[in-house]
Structures are given as C-alpha cells and as structure tokens.
Amino acid sequence: MNKDHYLAVDPGIRYPAAAIFDGKKTLVKASRVKLPAALSRLPMGMRCLEIGKLIVKWTGEYHTRIGGYCFEYPQIYVAKRSKGDPNNLTPLVGVGMVVAAYFDVPTKSPYPVEVWGQVPKNEECDDPWGSPRGQKIKRRLTQAEIACVDASHDSVDAIGIGLWALGRFERIRVFHGAV
C-alpha cells in the first residue's frame, strides 16, 4: 500500500478538525470532525481517546495511505500571560498523541508560534477565510483545494498546520519592480 498522504490535525476537545493532503502536497479533504454530545460527559482521558478514534475514522478511505502526520502542540504559558485556564490545553496533546499512536508514522508537533507567527485566529470574524489567518492560508490554496473544504475556523487551522508541515506556508515575498 502506498502511504503517500499527509494528515494534519487541529486537535480540539470541542471542535477538532483535520485536513488530508495527497502525495503531491495537494489538499484533498478538510473539515471539522463531528463529536457526539455524549463525549462531553466522559472523563478527560477517555474523551481524548474517543476523539482521537473519531479523527482516525474521519480519514475514511485515506486511512491506510497516511504516511505522515502533524498536529499543533499547545504552548502553555504562566497563568498571568494566558487568556484562559492553561489546564484546558493539555487534553489537546492527548488527542494528538492518540492519532499519532494509531498511524505510527513520522509526526511533527510544532508550537503555535512556529506555524502562525503572530497572525491572529480572530474567531470573531464569521468567515473563516476572512480572518487574517484564513486569508494567509487561502492565498496558498488553489480553487480546487478551496472547493474541497468544509470551512470553519478549525478546519482552516488544520489546513494551515498541514501547509506548514509540507513546506507550503513560507512567507510570500513580493519585491518592488519584480515581474
């Protein structure tokens, strides 16, 4: 079996999302991973396990072809620098590692600043492509790739993580006078 596809995951506990790229680094599928309401009642360890299994199931026909994987590893700051409770970030690692263990392929796990720099997510913007982060990601996709996205802020983040892992997220520089 040819394991040439790449999986990128935004491993949320409420809204996980994933993106799959083919062997030519072309996006073929991206969306949120739907979670049953009953998961919210599970102890956190079991919840992470079940969300990881749902992400694996989400890969569908591609699951035997996954040859690489990337998920965003949360940066945990001291409480006074954090926007919320830093303890809410640790389950993201659990979800990411469940998926890594299942596929057992080379795995990247960058910190958010490595992927996004200082580009904000801006979830207040209703259009996930309209935020600064969404615009940066969209500029790197073809129309065919955009068409295969079930767009949400989370799925767009998963795409960005995949673009970063595959080397398609470098800065686009335009020099004055260049043709």
Side-chain angles (χ1 to χ4, degrees):
M1 178 63 54
N2 189 4
K3 290 193 166 227
D4 62 348
H5 283 54
Y6 202 89
L7 175 64
V9 171
D10 181 10
I13 294 298
R14 292 184 327 167
Y15 304 112
I20 295 177
F21 296 81
D22 69 13
K24 296 178 183 164
K25 300 182 181 182
T26 302
L27 180 66
V28 295
K29 177 181 178 180
S31 73
R32 275 189 179 160
V33 176
K34 297 193 183 351
L35 301 180
L39 285 183
S40 65
R41 294 187 294 273
L42 293 176
M44 192 52 73
M46 284 303 297
R47 187 173 179 184
C48 292
L49 176 63
E50 293 304 319
I51 292 170
K53 288 178 180 177
L54 288 168
I55 291 169
V56 169
K57 184 177 179 183
W58 175 90
T59 62
E61 66 185 88
Y62 300 105
H63 89 275
T64 59
R65 298 168 67 184
I66 302 298
Y69 169 57
C70 186
F71 72 97
E72 186 179 84
Y73 196 93
Q75 176 69 54
I76 299 173
Y77 297 101
V78 293
K80 61 185 169 190
R81 283 193 60 205
S82 181
K83 290 182 181 177
D85 182 355
N87 290 314
N88 293 337
L89 297 176
T90 56
L92 305 181
V93 177
V95 172
M97 293 310 299
V98 166
V99 178
Y102 176 84
F103 286 111
D104 191 22
V105 295
T107 299
K108 296 179 181 180
S109 53
Y111 288 115
V113 71
E114 294 176 82
V115 178
W116 311 116
Q118 299 303 315
V119 179
K121 188 172 193 171
N122 193 7
E123 290 181 334
E124 291 81 41
C125 180
D126 289 336
D127 177 12
W129 298 117
S131 70
R133 192 180 288 187
Q135 290 174 17
K136 182 178 179 180
I137 293 164
K138 190 173 185 178
R139 284 193 300 265
R140 287 157 175 81
L141 300 175
T142 66
Q143 288 301 317
E145 288 175 310
I146 293 168
C148 72
V149 176
D150 183 4
S152 70
H153 287 285
D154 308 292
S155 62
V156 170
D157 278 358
I159 295 165
I161 293 164
L163 292 173
W164 177 88
L166 295 169
R168 289 183 55 192
F169 209 48
E170 279 85 30
R171 290 173 61 184
I172 298 173
R173 295 177 183 244
V174 179
F175 297 98
H176 180 71
V179 181

